Amino acid sequence: GKVQRLSADFSCPGADDNFKQEHNIMDYKAPASGFHARPIPGRCPGKPAMNAGLTIHNDSDPVQEQVDVVVGQLYEGKLGIGFQHQSDTAVVIDIVVDDAHRLWKLGDEVKAINGNAIRKDGDFMRLYGSAKESLPVTFTVMRSKEVGRLLAEWHCFHPELALDSELVLLSGENAGVGGRRLTGDMRLFDWKNGHLVKTIPLEFTQGYIESDWPRGFLSGGSQTFFTAGSIEAWGNSEGALIAFCTPV
């Protein structure tokens, strides 16, 4: 339940990167759990680096549900969201106005506007440009189904650290005080009922995890979490540090 430290000191310049490449740490991917998470955007009061929660989705259930998003007001003439436009849809990739979270979710796919289907490039802008002159505007949206939702603050640069069919590992409540660093501790939640299972202190030399450090579960059934980085700050080191966290 504690993060333990294993360090390796090397004598030649670049040994840190060489070690990570030789042992495939930089490209290591955690074993697939069958689930993935999406953020519930929205900054927490007084904690600009923290997000409000996340939704859990099943990889094997790609089925989407159709939802009507009815927009009754604009924000300085805009929807308050960012789209990625494709030939027959527009996908929500950013929500920039807090109030827009009530209506939109990241990943929403707009298929029609006021009942008129988006069929080709340019249709979205043409249909929306005309419709916004007379509010409300109804967007027909395809949205991924949720299997769970957890309202727990987490560091925006450190989304779920590990996830399986029951548990999710998140940053600690005060993780944002270190900027992009995850500091203090981690929290293990049962995402099905929202209960906090345990708090796990980062009890190794650094006491933090940088946003670009590789991390995840090791292969196998041990549920061992690892992260790896430079022994010294800013990566200016000839030594690599690997920290492990195993269940107790």
Side-chain angles (χ1 to χ4, degrees):
K2 295 182 179 180
V3 179
Q4 303 294 327
R5 176 195 181 211
L6 169 66
S7 64
D9 293 318
F10 303 99
S11 59
C12 64
D16 186 5
D17 289 337
N18 291 338
F19 177 81
K20 292 176 183 178
Q21 292 172 3
E22 289 173 5
H23 293 269
N24 203 28
I25 292 177
M26 292 299 289
D27 297 321
Y28 183 86
K29 300 296 183 184
S33 67
F35 294 83
H36 65 277
R38 291 182 176 176
I40 298 174
R43 296 295 180 255
C44 304
K47 298 179 179 179
M50 303 295 283
N51 275 26
L54 46 78
T55 57
I56 311 297
H57 304 264
N58 193 325
D59 294 343
S60 63
D61 182 15
V63 177
Q64 296 176 308
E65 56 185 346
Q66 181 173 307
V67 178
D68 282 340
V69 176
V70 181
V71 175
Q73 68 174 34
L74 301 178
Y75 309 97
E76 297 182 354
K78 300 179 180 179
L79 290 169
I81 57 178
F83 287 108
Q84 181 181 64
H85 294 282
Q86 301 174 8
S87 59
D88 62 348
T89 190
V91 182
V92 177
I93 60 173
D94 193 16
I95 302 177
V96 296
V97 176
D98 285 345
D99 193 50
H101 296 153
R102 297 182 298 105
L103 299 176
W104 300 94
K105 296 183 182 297
L106 293 178
D108 279 354
E109 300 178 15
V110 178
K111 294 295 186 180
I113 299 175
N114 283 348
N116 299 302
I118 299 172
R119 303 184 185 280
K120 61 182 184 299
D121 290 337
D123 276 359
F124 179 93
M125 297 305 298
R126 177 178 59 81
L127 294 171
Y128 172 61
S130 174
K132 71 178 182 179
E133 300 300 323
S134 179
L135 298 177
V137 178
T138 300
F139 295 85
T140 302
V141 167
M142 299 304 295
R143 178 175 293 170
S144 296
K145 290 184 178 180
E146 299 176 7
V147 296
R149 174 176 285 245
L150 178 66
L151 298 179
E153 298 175 6
W154 52 272
H155 197 305
C156 61
F157 291 107
H158 297 270
E160 75 280 3
L161 302 167
L163 172 68
D164 66 13
S165 59
E166 297 181 357
L167 303 172
V168 60
L169 185 63
L170 296 179
S171 57
E173 289 184 279
N174 298 312
V177 298
R180 288 177 175 264
R181 289 177 174 175
L182 190 164
T183 56
D185 53 41
M186 304 181 292
R187 293 166 298 158
L188 187 66
F189 286 92
D190 183 327
W191 58 259
K192 290 186 174 180
N193 57 32
H195 291 166
L196 176 63
V197 177
K198 66 170 59 178
T199 298
I200 306 166
L202 297 177
E203 293 186 344
F204 60 102
T205 303
Q206 270 75 354
Y208 61 80
I209 299 175
E210 295 282 10
S211 61
D212 59 348
W213 285 7
R215 81 286 298 275
F217 280 134
L218 297 178
S219 297
S222 70
Q223 292 187 310
T224 298
F225 174 81
F226 89 96
T227 188
S230 173
I231 287 178
E232 297 179 8
W234 316 114
N236 299 321
S237 174
E238 295 178 358
L241 177 143
I242 309 174
F244 298 96
C245 177
T246 56
V248 294

